[in-house]
């Protein structure tokens, strides 16, 4: 994934995304929705799975303020192709 900001998680010893997050595939220099990583000043998080950045998953989403809807839709389609994967929505 790629994000507009990042912070250091001392418990896990890794950078975690902050601000707005986009899906990003390793080996490309743009997000899944077509933003240039460089021009949009996005940081890459190769070690953080996309699902962890979603607020409903909790894992790495503490500082995530916005999930790009186009990337989320693309990632959901991608993940939906795998059997056994279910999207969970927290109750308000
Ligand atoms: Zn995006």
């Amino acid at each position: 994934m790629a994000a507009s900001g990042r912070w250091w998680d001392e418990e896990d010893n890794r950078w975690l995304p902050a601000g707005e997050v986009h899906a990003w595939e390793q080996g490309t220099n743009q997000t899944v929705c077509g933003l240039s990583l460089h021009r949009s000043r996005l940081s890459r998080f190769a070690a953080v799975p996309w699902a962890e950045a979603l607020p409903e998953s909790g894992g790495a989403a503490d500082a995530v303020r916005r999930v790009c809807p186009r990337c989320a839709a693309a990632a959901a389609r991608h993940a939906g192709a795998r059997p056994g994967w279910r999207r969970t929505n927290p109750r308000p």
Side-chain angles (χ1 to χ4, degrees):
M1 78 178 68
S4 60
R6 63 177 187 171
W7 62 284
W8 180 252
D9 181 352
E10 289 187 356
E11 279 179 30
D12 283 358
N13 281 312
R14 59 176 181 169
W15 289 105
L16 291 179
E20 182 171 290
V21 295
H22 295 265
W24 163 74
E25 286 175 5
Q26 253 177 298
T28 67
N29 58 12
Q30 63 176 33
T31 63
V32 169
C33 66
L35 287 179
S36 158
L37 293 175
H38 178 72
R39 249 181 306 156
S40 301
R41 294 165 175 267
L42 297 169
S43 306
R44 286 165 290 185
F45 298 87
V48 183
W50 170 254
E52 279 197 42
L54 302 179
E56 60 259 38
S57 85
D62 286 0
V64 173
R65 293 290 167 259
R66 183 173 185 269
V67 177
C68 169
R70 281 189 292 172
C71 285
R77 272 200 303 276
H78 193 67
R82 275 183 297 171
W85 192 89
R86 240 177 229 107
R87 186 181 183 84
T88 54
N89 289 309
R91 311 222 170 259

